[in-house]
Amino acid sequence: DIQMTQSPSTLSASVGDRVTITCRASQSISNWLAWYQQNPGKAPKLLIYKASSLESGVPSRFSGSGSGTEFTLTISSLQPDDFATYYCQQYNSYWYTFGQGTKLEIK
Amino acid sequence: QVHLQESGPGLVKPSQTLSLTCTVSGASISSGPYYWSWIRQPAGKELEWIGRIFSSVSTNYNPSLKSRITISGDTSKNQFSLKLSSVTAADTAVYYCARLTQLHHVFDIWGQGTMVTVSS
């Protein structure tokens, strides 16, 4: 199975900061990579699909990049609603796995 | 607007079978281009994909859970269901149903989730 490793596990930042979260796959997944945002007690929300495509309705301050085994999610200028936990998710051969999550905290 | 809603018991005894149903509105589970999926999340932990169903017939399961899972569909009620047998405390989690796109293989619409506790 393909393992997804996110870093960092926790990230402290301030409103207006630019932040980047990394997700590494244990083997190549081409660009079958998505990013989700999850707030406490809520279901995840899709942000990015196919590594770099922005889901409809998601603010343009969110962007994704990467291919193969290394991927990044960047938030260009943090807003108060962005403090949440972020997960990457891969697809490969009828199997889906998620990263362990990155909690974005207010500094 | 597509809406998913999970339902089922919140408490299951060890060794018994966990049964949950997802009711879908605003879309038909019998038509593409979507799969319908179950995902779970133990408290404070990462998300785990359980399995998916397409057109109420074709299924794929997480290999680590495959021996204990059955996902089925009822097109007359526009519902799909999860059965997880021989549960233990490790199966305690929030269970989500979600729509899975065939084109991009992402979970684009989620239910609110339902907490299931395995305890005697």
Side-chain angles (χ1 to χ4, degrees):
Chain A
D1 59 330
I2 296 178
Q3 306 298 321
M4 306 301 291
T5 304
Q6 289 182 233
S7 60
S9 296
T10 305
L11 180 57
S12 296
S14 302
V15 172
D17 284 353
R18 177 184 179 92
V19 298
T20 297
I21 298 169
T22 298
C23 181
R24 290 185 173 86
S26 58
Q27 64 188 73
S28 178
I29 56 170
S30 183
N31 63 348
W32 293 107
L33 193 284
W35 290 97
Y36 299 83
Q37 176 193 66
Q38 187 178 35
N39 286 295
K42 301 293 187 182
K45 172 188 173 184
L46 177 65
L47 300 175
I48 301 283
Y49 62 93
K50 292 300 288 292
S52 60
S53 296
L54 193 67
E55 174 72 350
S56 176
V58 174
S60 59
R61 63 181 180 273
F62 291 91
S63 63
S65 65
S67 66
T69 62
E70 186 151 338
F71 303 87
T72 60
L73 172 70
T74 298
I75 309 173
S76 61
S77 178
L78 278 173
Q79 299 303 301
D81 286 348
D82 300 340
F83 292 95
T85 299
Y86 293 84
Y87 293 94
C88 60
Q89 170 247 314
Q90 70 83 28
Y91 164 69
N92 181 62
S93 300
Y94 309 117
W95 199 352
Y96 306 84
T97 52
F98 294 85
Q100 83 279 15
T102 294
K103 186 175 183 180
L104 182 51
E105 298 181 329
I106 299 175
K107 184 183 287 185
Chain B
Q1 187 176 3
V2 180
H3 183 73
L4 287 74
Q5 179 69 57
E6 305 89 351
S7 59
L11 181 64
V12 181
K13 291 183 176 0
S15 80
Q16 294 191 342
T17 296
L18 178 161
S19 296
L20 295 175
T21 296
C22 182
T23 301
V24 179
S25 57
S28 171
I29 66 167
S30 59
S31 61
Y34 301 104
Y35 302 103
W36 303 91
S37 198
W38 288 97
I39 297 156
R40 70 180 183 179
Q41 185 175 34
K45 295 189 176 181
E46 66 207 63
L47 299 149
E48 180 180 35
W49 175 69
I50 297 171
R52 71 183 190 189
I53 187 167
F54 172 62
S55 196
S56 298
V57 176
S58 175
T59 55
N60 297 98
Y61 300 140
N62 184 325
S64 68
L65 299 169
K66 187 175 182 178
S67 63
R68 300 195 290 133
I69 301 171
T70 302
I71 296 177
S72 59
D74 184 339
T75 55
S76 67
K77 296 180 180 178
N78 213 34
Q79 296 174 333
F80 62 104
S81 298
L82 168 69
K83 292 189 185 301
L84 178 64
S85 64
S86 306
V87 297
T88 69
D91 296 309
T92 294
V94 175
Y95 286 75
Y96 295 99
C97 58
R99 189 176 79 171
L100 172 61
T101 72
Q102 292 185 9
L103 182 59
H104 299 127
H105 292 280
V106 293
F107 306 95
D108 66 340
I109 299 176
W110 297 64
Q112 65 183 23
T114 188
M115 179 68 201
V116 178
T117 301
V118 178
S119 175
S120 56

mmCIF file of all heavy atoms in Angstrom, chain A residues 22-55:
data_model
loop_
_atom_site.group_PDB
_atom_site.id
_atom_site.type_symbol
_atom_site.label_atom_id
_atom_site.label_comp_id
_atom_site.label_asym_id
_atom_site.label_seq_id
_atom_site.Cartn_x
_atom_site.Cartn_y
_atom_site.Cartn_z
ATOM 1 N N THR A 22 3.634 20.054 3.201
ATOM 2 C CA THR A 22 4.186 19.072 2.266
ATOM 3 C C THR A 22 3.575 17.697 2.502
ATOM 4 O O THR A 22 3.305 17.301 3.643
ATOM 5 C CB THR A 22 5.712 18.979 2.422
ATOM 6 O OG1 THR A 22 6.289 20.248 2.104
ATOM 7 C CG2 THR A 22 6.294 17.914 1.510
ATOM 8 N N CYS A 23 3.386 16.973 1.419
ATOM 9 C CA CYS A 23 2.871 15.603 1.469
ATOM 10 C C CYS A 23 3.755 14.741 0.566
ATOM 11 O O CYS A 23 3.961 15.082 -0.608
ATOM 12 C CB CYS A 23 1.425 15.575 0.999
ATOM 13 S SG CYS A 23 0.650 13.946 1.023
ATOM 14 N N ARG A 24 4.281 13.675 1.121
ATOM 15 C CA ARG A 24 5.142 12.777 0.350
ATOM 16 C C ARG A 24 4.516 11.391 0.263
ATOM 17 O O ARG A 24 4.050 10.857 1.267
ATOM 18 C CB ARG A 24 6.530 12.679 0.972
ATOM 19 C CG ARG A 24 7.347 13.947 0.844
ATOM 20 C CD ARG A 24 8.761 13.788 1.366
ATOM 21 N NE ARG A 24 9.575 14.971 1.080
ATOM 22 C CZ ARG A 24 9.625 16.036 1.863
ATOM 23 N NH1 ARG A 24 8.917 16.078 2.976
ATOM 24 N NH2 ARG A 24 10.399 17.064 1.519
ATOM 25 N N ALA A 25 4.542 10.825 -0.934
ATOM 26 C CA ALA A 25 4.013 9.487 -1.156
ATOM 27 C C ALA A 25 5.153 8.475 -1.162
ATOM 28 O O ALA A 25 6.267 8.778 -1.607
ATOM 29 C CB ALA A 25 3.269 9.431 -2.486
ATOM 30 N N SER A 26 4.870 7.271 -0.682
ATOM 31 C CA SER A 26 5.911 6.238 -0.599
ATOM 32 C C SER A 26 6.287 5.673 -1.976
ATOM 33 O O SER A 26 7.305 4.998 -2.099
ATOM 34 C CB SER A 26 5.451 5.102 0.322
ATOM 35 O OG SER A 26 4.242 4.547 -0.139
ATOM 36 N N GLN A 27 5.455 5.944 -2.977
ATOM 37 C CA GLN A 27 5.800 5.630 -4.357
ATOM 38 C C GLN A 27 5.051 6.595 -5.259
ATOM 39 O O GLN A 27 4.147 7.291 -4.799
ATOM 40 C CB GLN A 27 5.471 4.180 -4.715
ATOM 41 C CG GLN A 27 4.002 3.833 -4.661
ATOM 42 C CD GLN A 27 3.754 2.343 -4.846
ATOM 43 O OE1 GLN A 27 4.017 1.544 -3.948
ATOM 44 N NE2 GLN A 27 3.246 1.969 -6.012
ATOM 45 N N SER A 28 5.439 6.626 -6.522
ATOM 46 C CA SER A 28 4.852 7.611 -7.412
ATOM 47 C C SER A 28 3.348 7.418 -7.578
ATOM 48 O O SER A 28 2.864 6.297 -7.759
ATOM 49 C CB SER A 28 5.510 7.527 -8.795
ATOM 50 O OG SER A 28 4.902 8.463 -9.676
ATOM 51 N N ILE A 29 2.642 8.540 -7.488
ATOM 52 C CA ILE A 29 1.193 8.531 -7.700
ATOM 53 C C ILE A 29 0.802 9.483 -8.824
ATOM 54 O O ILE A 29 -0.341 9.936 -8.901
ATOM 55 C CB ILE A 29 0.426 8.894 -6.402
ATOM 56 C CG1 ILE A 29 0.890 10.255 -5.854
ATOM 57 C CG2 ILE A 29 0.592 7.805 -5.348
ATOM 58 C CD1 ILE A 29 0.010 10.785 -4.712
ATOM 59 N N SER A 30 1.774 9.812 -9.701
ATOM 60 C CA SER A 30 1.526 10.767 -10.781
ATOM 61 C C SER A 30 0.996 12.059 -10.154
ATOM 62 O O SER A 30 1.659 12.653 -9.328
ATOM 63 C CB SER A 30 0.566 10.180 -11.801
ATOM 64 O OG SER A 30 0.381 11.073 -12.880
ATOM 65 N N ASN A 31 -0.199 12.492 -10.539
ATOM 66 C CA ASN A 31 -0.782 13.687 -9.912
ATOM 67 C C ASN A 31 -2.128 13.379 -9.257
ATOM 68 O O ASN A 31 -2.980 14.259 -9.107
ATOM 69 C CB ASN A 31 -0.915 14.819 -10.925
ATOM 70 C CG ASN A 31 -1.864 14.470 -12.059
ATOM 71 O OD1 ASN A 31 -2.258 13.318 -12.216
ATOM 72 N ND2 ASN A 31 -2.233 15.463 -12.845
ATOM 73 N N TRP A 32 -2.304 12.128 -8.827
ATOM 74 C CA TRP A 32 -3.552 11.721 -8.170
ATOM 75 C C TRP A 32 -3.516 12.110 -6.691
ATOM 76 O O TRP A 32 -3.502 11.256 -5.796
ATOM 77 C CB TRP A 32 -3.783 10.229 -8.311
ATOM 78 C CG TRP A 32 -4.055 9.791 -9.718
ATOM 79 C CD1 TRP A 32 -3.215 9.100 -10.534
ATOM 80 C CD2 TRP A 32 -5.257 10.009 -10.469
ATOM 81 N NE1 TRP A 32 -3.815 8.872 -11.748
ATOM 82 C CE2 TRP A 32 -5.067 9.412 -11.737
ATOM 83 C CE3 TRP A 32 -6.476 10.640 -10.196
ATOM 84 C CZ2 TRP A 32 -6.044 9.437 -12.734
ATOM 85 C CZ3 TRP A 32 -7.460 10.664 -11.185
ATOM 86 C CH2 TRP A 32 -7.238 10.073 -12.429
ATOM 87 N N LEU A 33 -3.505 13.413 -6.449
ATOM 88 C CA LEU A 33 -3.350 13.919 -5.093
ATOM 89 C C LEU A 33 -4.369 15.025 -4.850
ATOM 90 O O LEU A 33 -4.539 15.931 -5.699
ATOM 91 C CB LEU A 33 -1.925 14.455 -4.919
ATOM 92 C CG LEU A 33 -1.374 14.773 -3.514
ATOM 93 C CD1 LEU A 33 -1.929 16.080 -2.964
ATOM 94 C CD2 LEU A 33 -1.611 13.646 -2.540
ATOM 95 N N ALA A 34 -5.036 14.930 -3.715
ATOM 96 C CA ALA A 34 -6.019 15.941 -3.330
ATOM 97 C C ALA A 34 -5.695 16.478 -1.943
ATOM 98 O O ALA A 34 -5.004 15.825 -1.153
ATOM 99 C CB ALA A 34 -7.428 15.341 -3.349
ATOM 100 N N TRP A 35 -6.224 17.651 -1.666
ATOM 101 C CA TRP A 35 -6.079 18.284 -0.354
ATOM 102 C C TRP A 35 -7.459 18.627 0.201
ATOM 103 O O TRP A 35 -8.344 19.081 -0.525
ATOM 104 C CB TRP A 35 -5.256 19.568 -0.464
ATOM 105 C CG TRP A 35 -3.804 19.363 -0.766
ATOM 106 C CD1 TRP A 35 -3.206 19.435 -1.998
ATOM 107 C CD2 TRP A 35 -2.759 19.088 0.177
ATOM 108 N NE1 TRP A 35 -1.843 19.207 -1.881
ATOM 109 C CE2 TRP A 35 -1.556 18.997 -0.555
ATOM 110 C CE3 TRP A 35 -2.718 18.906 1.554
ATOM 111 C CZ2 TRP A 35 -0.323 18.725 0.049
ATOM 112 C CZ3 TRP A 35 -1.501 18.642 2.154
ATOM 113 C CH2 TRP A 35 -0.317 18.558 1.406
ATOM 114 N N TYR A 36 -7.603 18.414 1.517
ATOM 115 C CA TYR A 36 -8.849 18.702 2.210
ATOM 116 C C TYR A 36 -8.557 19.557 3.432
ATOM 117 O O TYR A 36 -7.485 19.467 4.034
ATOM 118 C CB TYR A 36 -9.523 17.404 2.684
ATOM 119 C CG TYR A 36 -9.899 16.455 1.572
ATOM 120 C CD1 TYR A 36 -8.958 15.591 1.034
ATOM 121 C CD2 TYR A 36 -11.187 16.429 1.062
ATOM 122 C CE1 TYR A 36 -9.286 14.720 0.006
ATOM 123 C CE2 TYR A 36 -11.533 15.556 0.038
ATOM 124 C CZ TYR A 36 -10.575 14.714 -0.490
ATOM 125 O OH TYR A 36 -10.906 13.859 -1.503
ATOM 126 N N GLN A 37 -9.555 20.345 3.815
ATOM 127 C CA GLN A 37 -9.522 21.124 5.048
ATOM 128 C C GLN A 37 -10.583 20.568 5.975
ATOM 129 O O GLN A 37 -11.717 20.329 5.544
ATOM 130 C CB GLN A 37 -9.825 22.600 4.729
ATOM 131 C CG GLN A 37 -9.910 23.504 5.935
ATOM 132 C CD GLN A 37 -10.520 24.860 5.554
ATOM 133 O OE1 GLN A 37 -11.691 24.946 5.181
ATOM 134 N NE2 GLN A 37 -9.732 25.910 5.643
ATOM 135 N N GLN A 38 -10.237 20.370 7.234
ATOM 136 C CA GLN A 38 -11.214 19.883 8.203
ATOM 137 C C GLN A 38 -11.206 20.745 9.454
ATOM 138 O O GLN A 38 -10.165 20.943 10.069
ATOM 139 C CB GLN A 38 -10.953 18.422 8.576
ATOM 140 C CG GLN A 38 -12.044 17.830 9.461
ATOM 141 C CD GLN A 38 -11.817 16.368 9.798
ATOM 142 O OE1 GLN A 38 -10.688 15.927 9.969
ATOM 143 N NE2 GLN A 38 -12.909 15.610 9.907
ATOM 144 N N ASN A 39 -12.363 21.234 9.814
ATOM 145 C CA ASN A 39 -12.545 21.953 11.065
ATOM 146 C C ASN A 39 -13.082 20.996 12.124
ATOM 147 O O ASN A 39 -13.727 19.992 11.792
ATOM 148 C CB ASN A 39 -13.490 23.133 10.863
ATOM 149 C CG ASN A 39 -12.818 24.274 10.117
ATOM 150 O OD1 ASN A 39 -11.865 24.881 10.614
ATOM 151 N ND2 ASN A 39 -13.282 24.568 8.916
ATOM 152 N N PRO A 40 -12.837 21.296 13.401
ATOM 153 C CA PRO A 40 -13.248 20.371 14.473
ATOM 154 C C PRO A 40 -14.731 20.046 14.419
ATOM 155 O O PRO A 40 -15.574 20.939 14.279
ATOM 156 C CB PRO A 40 -12.898 21.157 15.743
ATOM 157 C CG PRO A 40 -11.773 22.053 15.338
ATOM 158 C CD PRO A 40 -12.077 22.446 13.923
ATOM 159 N N GLY A 41 -15.033 18.757 14.483
ATOM 160 C CA GLY A 41 -16.415 18.303 14.484
ATOM 161 C C GLY A 41 -17.111 18.360 13.135
ATOM 162 O O GLY A 41 -18.326 18.108 13.062
ATOM 163 N N LYS A 42 -16.360 18.671 12.095
ATOM 164 C CA LYS A 42 -16.957 18.804 10.764
ATOM 165 C C LYS A 42 -16.337 17.788 9.808
ATOM 166 O O LYS A 42 -15.259 17.251 10.043
ATOM 167 C CB LYS A 42 -16.725 20.211 10.207
ATOM 168 C CG LYS A 42 -17.292 21.316 11.070
ATOM 169 C CD LYS A 42 -18.806 21.269 11.099
ATOM 170 C CE LYS A 42 -19.373 22.480 11.823
ATOM 171 N NZ LYS A 42 -20.860 22.429 11.898
ATOM 172 N N ALA A 43 -17.053 17.555 8.702
ATOM 173 C CA ALA A 43 -16.505 16.703 7.649
ATOM 174 C C ALA A 43 -15.427 17.458 6.881
ATOM 175 O O ALA A 43 -15.433 18.686 6.820
ATOM 176 C CB ALA A 43 -17.612 16.281 6.693
ATOM 177 N N PRO A 44 -14.493 16.739 6.296
ATOM 178 C CA PRO A 44 -13.495 17.403 5.450
ATOM 179 C C PRO A 44 -14.142 18.102 4.262
ATOM 180 O O PRO A 44 -15.210 17.705 3.788
ATOM 181 C CB PRO A 44 -12.611 16.242 4.985
ATOM 182 C CG PRO A 44 -12.770 15.198 6.033
ATOM 183 C CD PRO A 44 -14.203 15.318 6.459
ATOM 184 N N LYS A 45 -13.430 19.116 3.784
ATOM 185 C CA LYS A 45 -13.877 19.885 2.618
ATOM 186 C C LYS A 45 -12.790 19.814 1.556
ATOM 187 O O LYS A 45 -11.619 20.087 1.841
ATOM 188 C CB LYS A 45 -14.130 21.344 3.016
ATOM 189 C CG LYS A 45 -14.415 22.281 1.846
ATOM 190 C CD LYS A 45 -14.448 23.726 2.303
ATOM 191 C CE LYS A 45 -14.560 24.680 1.132
ATOM 192 N NZ LYS A 45 -14.505 26.113 1.558
ATOM 193 N N LEU A 46 -13.180 19.461 0.339
ATOM 194 C CA LEU A 46 -12.218 19.355 -0.759
ATOM 195 C C LEU A 46 -11.725 20.737 -1.180
ATOM 196 O O LEU A 46 -12.516 21.636 -1.432
ATOM 197 C CB LEU A 46 -12.870 18.655 -1.948
ATOM 198 C CG LEU A 46 -12.037 18.525 -3.217
ATOM 199 C CD1 LEU A 46 -10.820 17.636 -2.986
ATOM 200 C CD2 LEU A 46 -12.895 17.977 -4.360
ATOM 201 N N LEU A 47 -10.392 20.879 -1.266
ATOM 202 C CA LEU A 47 -9.786 22.138 -1.702
ATOM 203 C C LEU A 47 -9.155 22.031 -3.091
ATOM 204 O O LEU A 47 -9.353 22.889 -3.949
ATOM 205 C CB LEU A 47 -8.688 22.552 -0.717
ATOM 206 C CG LEU A 47 -9.062 22.781 0.734
ATOM 207 C CD1 LEU A 47 -7.796 23.056 1.545
ATOM 208 C CD2 LEU A 47 -10.062 23.920 0.867
ATOM 209 N N ILE A 48 -8.346 21.007 -3.273
ATOM 210 C CA ILE A 48 -7.502 20.846 -4.459
ATOM 211 C C ILE A 48 -7.647 19.410 -4.966
ATOM 212 O O ILE A 48 -7.667 18.472 -4.160
ATOM 213 C CB ILE A 48 -6.013 21.092 -4.130
ATOM 214 C CG1 ILE A 48 -5.782 22.495 -3.562
ATOM 215 C CG2 ILE A 48 -5.122 20.819 -5.350
ATOM 216 C CD1 ILE A 48 -5.801 23.605 -4.573
ATOM 217 N N TYR A 49 -7.726 19.219 -6.280
ATOM 218 C CA TYR A 49 -7.706 17.879 -6.863
ATOM 219 C C TYR A 49 -6.687 17.832 -7.993
ATOM 220 O O TYR A 49 -6.254 18.883 -8.489
ATOM 221 C CB TYR A 49 -9.100 17.468 -7.348
ATOM 222 C CG TYR A 49 -9.663 18.362 -8.439
ATOM 223 C CD1 TYR A 49 -9.485 18.057 -9.782
ATOM 224 C CD2 TYR A 49 -10.386 19.511 -8.112
ATOM 225 C CE1 TYR A 49 -9.992 18.864 -10.777
ATOM 226 C CE2 TYR A 49 -10.897 20.335 -9.102
ATOM 227 C CZ TYR A 49 -10.698 19.999 -10.439
ATOM 228 O OH TYR A 49 -11.197 20.815 -11.433
ATOM 229 N N LYS A 50 -6.286 16.622 -8.376
ATOM 230 C CA LYS A 50 -5.250 16.434 -9.394
ATOM 231 C C LYS A 50 -4.031 17.302 -9.116
ATOM 232 O O LYS A 50 -3.452 17.920 -10.004
ATOM 233 C CB LYS A 50 -5.797 16.700 -10.793
ATOM 234 C CG LYS A 50 -6.818 15.675 -11.286
ATOM 235 C CD LYS A 50 -6.282 14.261 -11.363
ATOM 236 C CE LYS A 50 -5.313 13.985 -12.460
ATOM 237 N NZ LYS A 50 -5.866 14.027 -13.801
ATOM 238 N N ALA A 51 -3.658 17.363 -7.866
ATOM 239 C CA ALA A 51 -2.465 18.037 -7.338
ATOM 240 C C ALA A 51 -2.509 19.560 -7.369
ATOM 241 O O ALA A 51 -1.991 20.208 -6.452
ATOM 242 C CB ALA A 51 -1.208 17.554 -8.076
ATOM 243 N N SER A 52 -3.114 20.125 -8.425
ATOM 244 C CA SER A 52 -3.010 21.584 -8.565
ATOM 245 C C SER A 52 -4.297 22.265 -9.026
ATOM 246 O O SER A 52 -4.283 23.485 -9.238
ATOM 247 C CB SER A 52 -1.891 21.930 -9.568
ATOM 248 O OG SER A 52 -2.182 21.366 -10.828
ATOM 249 N N SER A 53 -5.378 21.515 -9.178
ATOM 250 C CA SER A 53 -6.641 22.112 -9.635
ATOM 251 C C SER A 53 -7.483 22.549 -8.458
ATOM 252 O O SER A 53 -7.732 21.754 -7.542
ATOM 253 C CB SER A 53 -7.412 21.111 -10.497
ATOM 254 O OG SER A 53 -6.702 20.814 -11.679
ATOM 255 N N LEU A 54 -7.935 23.783 -8.509
ATOM 256 C CA LEU A 54 -8.707 24.358 -7.408
ATOM 257 C C LEU A 54 -10.173 23.961 -7.536
ATOM 258 O O LEU A 54 -10.788 24.173 -8.589
ATOM 259 C CB LEU A 54 -8.566 25.883 -7.431
ATOM 260 C CG LEU A 54 -9.021 26.672 -6.213
ATOM 261 C CD1 LEU A 54 -8.134 26.371 -5.014
ATOM 262 C CD2 LEU A 54 -9.015 28.167 -6.523
ATOM 263 N N GLU A 55 -10.726 23.375 -6.478
ATOM 264 C CA GLU A 55 -12.144 23.023 -6.472
ATOM 265 C C GLU A 55 -12.994 24.290 -6.567
ATOM 266 O O GLU A 55 -12.625 25.339 -6.026
ATOM 267 C CB GLU A 55 -12.474 22.235 -5.198
ATOM 268 C CG GLU A 55 -13.941 21.922 -4.976
ATOM 269 C CD GLU A 55 -14.497 20.855 -5.919
ATOM 270 O OE1 GLU A 55 -13.805 20.478 -6.884
ATOM 271 O OE2 GLU A 55 -15.635 20.393 -5.677
#
